[in-house]
Amino acid sequence: MIVDKLGRRFKNLRVSLTAACNYACTYCVPNGKRLLKAENELSACSLLTLTQLIQAAAGIEQLRITGGDPLVTPKFDDFLLGVAALPLKDFSLTTNGQLLLSKADVIEASGISRMNISLDTLNPLKFKQIARGGDLETVLKGIDKMQALGIKLKVNMVPMRGTNQDDILPLLDYCLDRNIELRYIELMRMGHLTQGTRYQADFLSMQHLLDEIGTRYRFERTDAPFDSTAVRFHIPERGYFGIIANESEPFCTACTRLRLSSDGFLYGCLSNSARTYIGDLVDLPSHLALPKLQKILLKALGDKQLAFQGETTVMKFIGG
Ligand code: SAM
């Protein structure tokens, strides 16, 4: 097992199935153009082979399928069912929820037990303004469908000053009413947000969110697992919410995440664009691929930072 000085090792693998997305969210894409797939994306089969190699070399326990949006690619069904057959403790999915209804059968067949759905507002106009694609009603129906299948849901919201600030409480109410855990994600300085003043203008801190939530609810901070990225809170008799406080309370020193992009690059850290191509390992027998991968993983672990610095890498390549 590869472990660094801080006791960090890779336990969670996030696989970006495609860079393509049916949204063009303002915080992810600068020009409003939908994201296309990467130039040399790997097939579902190759990504599964790499996943198995990484699992063998690093002792991965959990896997999250992400993107782009993972549901937009024809690879989704094969990859999801392939992952479901792997000996993992847990696998999950992050999606914007736009295609959940059309993918409900394969999702049910996979036996997936939990999922994160990104939703930044309950206002249809604001939804169009932020996502620049899709529609709110379809996402809400998708959420209902996933709950009807018994899948445990979290909703991801990125609160931004002057855009969806008014949704901080309505989204919390919506989630609490449905036994869904809301995760507020502090805006991250990624991609185009590393330039100009937009990031500073839009950023809302954990304290800001807590102050606002405190106007309606009494809550207390509660335990979260060692390598959880979220600070978690309990509202007695109502439920839980979390804040991924990249800036206010960075979780880098406990990070166990490793990322594989759709075009076969391995990233050890979201705050570091260092990456290594491993797509060529699929053609090697495992006794030759594994020692090479061990070396690459050691380097990737060394790429981890002590705090989130901001990174020009666009989220679409590595899926957040
Ligand atoms: N398309 C899928 C989705 O919408 O969930 C998966 C990929 S998306 C990159 C994963 C998560 O990253 C989403 O919840 C999105 O809101 C979040 N995200 C993207 N850019 C971000 C940024 N600059 N700051 C904070 N969160 C961001």
Side-chain angles (χ1 to χ4, degrees):
M1 196 77 64
I2 309 165
V3 184
D4 76 1
K5 278 190 226 146
L6 297 175
R8 294 181 291 192
R9 71 174 184 90
F10 292 127
K11 269 202 313 205
N12 297 272
L13 177 66
R14 302 169 83 96
V15 181
S16 174
L17 201 49
T18 179
C21 190
N22 42 1
Y23 287 8
C25 297
T26 51
Y27 45 76
C28 191
V29 190
N31 54 14
K33 287 200 189 125
R34 306 252 172 98
L35 300 170
L36 303 174
K37 64 180 190 172
E39 227 166 75
N40 296 306
E41 291 205 341
L42 301 182
S43 65
C45 180
S46 294
L47 287 169
L48 268 174
T49 304
L50 291 179
T51 299
Q52 282 170 296
L53 283 171
I54 295 168
Q55 198 188 359
I60 294 296
E61 295 169 5
Q62 298 185 318
L63 185 141
R64 178 173 293 278
I65 306 172
T66 176
D69 199 82
L71 273 64
V72 303
T73 170
K75 293 184 270 186
F76 176 70
D77 298 17
D78 286 348
F79 190 75
L80 177 67
L81 296 174
V83 163
L86 296 178
L88 290 158
K89 265 195 193 160
D90 175 60
F91 68 102
S92 57
L93 172 69
T94 301
T95 174
N96 60 34
Q98 198 57 224
L99 296 175
L100 282 171
L101 291 177
S102 57
K103 288 291 174 189
D105 288 348
V106 67
I107 287 171
E108 185 177 20
S110 75
I112 195 167
S113 62
R114 60 193 195 91
M115 185 183 296
N116 287 30
I117 299 174
S118 303
L119 178 61
D120 293 321
T121 176
L122 290 170
N123 174 319
L125 290 177
K126 247 189 270 173
F127 182 95
K128 293 263 182 226
Q129 220 182 316
I130 299 171
R132 300 186 285 193
D135 72 291
L136 174 65
E137 204 48 41
T138 309
V139 178
L140 298 181
K141 284 186 185 146
I143 289 177
D144 291 344
K145 178 71 185 174
M146 294 302 108
Q147 288 213 289
L149 294 179
I151 297 172
K152 194 150 182 48
L153 299 185
K154 284 185 186 144
V155 160
N156 290 349
M157 173 201 190
V158 182
M160 290 168 289
R161 192 185 302 280
T163 310
N164 60 350
Q165 206 172 344
D166 297 348
D167 285 283
I168 291 168
L169 286 173
L171 258 167
L172 182 58
D173 293 337
Y174 169 87
C175 288
L176 291 171
D177 289 346
R178 288 164 181 76
N179 195 24
I180 295 173
E181 198 163 319
L182 178 60
R183 286 274 193 264
Y184 300 98
I185 308 179
E186 278 186 356
L187 186 64
M188 296 172 82
R189 241 176 294 129
M190 297 285 293
H192 64 292
L193 296 182
T194 55
Q195 318 290 323
T197 53
R198 175 81 201 270
Y199 176 80
Q200 269 78 12
D202 287 353
F203 178 78
L204 289 173
S205 68
M206 171 155 83
Q207 193 54 54
H208 179 103
L209 297 170
L210 294 179
D211 288 346
E212 179 138 1
I213 294 164
T215 62
R216 184 165 309 172
Y217 293 110
R218 203 167 45 78
F219 55 83
E220 60 213 14
R221 190 163 169 160
T222 182
D223 287 344
F226 158 76
D227 58 350
S228 167
T229 51
V231 184
R232 214 163 161 246
F233 299 88
H234 181 220
I235 303 177
E237 287 159 40
R238 288 291 270 138
Y240 292 86
F241 70 93
I243 302 179
I244 303 191
N246 312 292
E247 289 286 329
S248 304
E249 205 169 304
F251 42 83
C252 301
T253 51
C255 178
T256 58
R257 282 160 186 76
L258 175 67
R259 294 175 167 86
L260 176 62
S261 68
S262 55
D263 51 356
F265 287 91
L266 211 52
Y267 293 78
C269 177
L270 193 59
S271 180
N272 190 339
S273 55
R275 60 182 196 167
T276 308
Y277 184 66
I278 61 163
D280 48 352
L281 299 186
V282 292
D283 299 322
L284 295 179
S286 59
H287 73 280
L288 294 180
L290 282 173
K292 282 180 186 265
L293 189 55
Q294 289 281 357
K295 279 194 196 143
I296 294 168
L297 286 168
L298 199 59
K299 183 195 160 294
L301 195 58
D303 291 336
K304 283 203 176 296
Q305 308 287 301
L306 295 176
F308 188 80
Q309 315 282 338
E311 181 47 62
T312 49
T313 313
V314 184
M315 202 67 117
K316 65 165 178 161
F317 294 126
I318 41 181

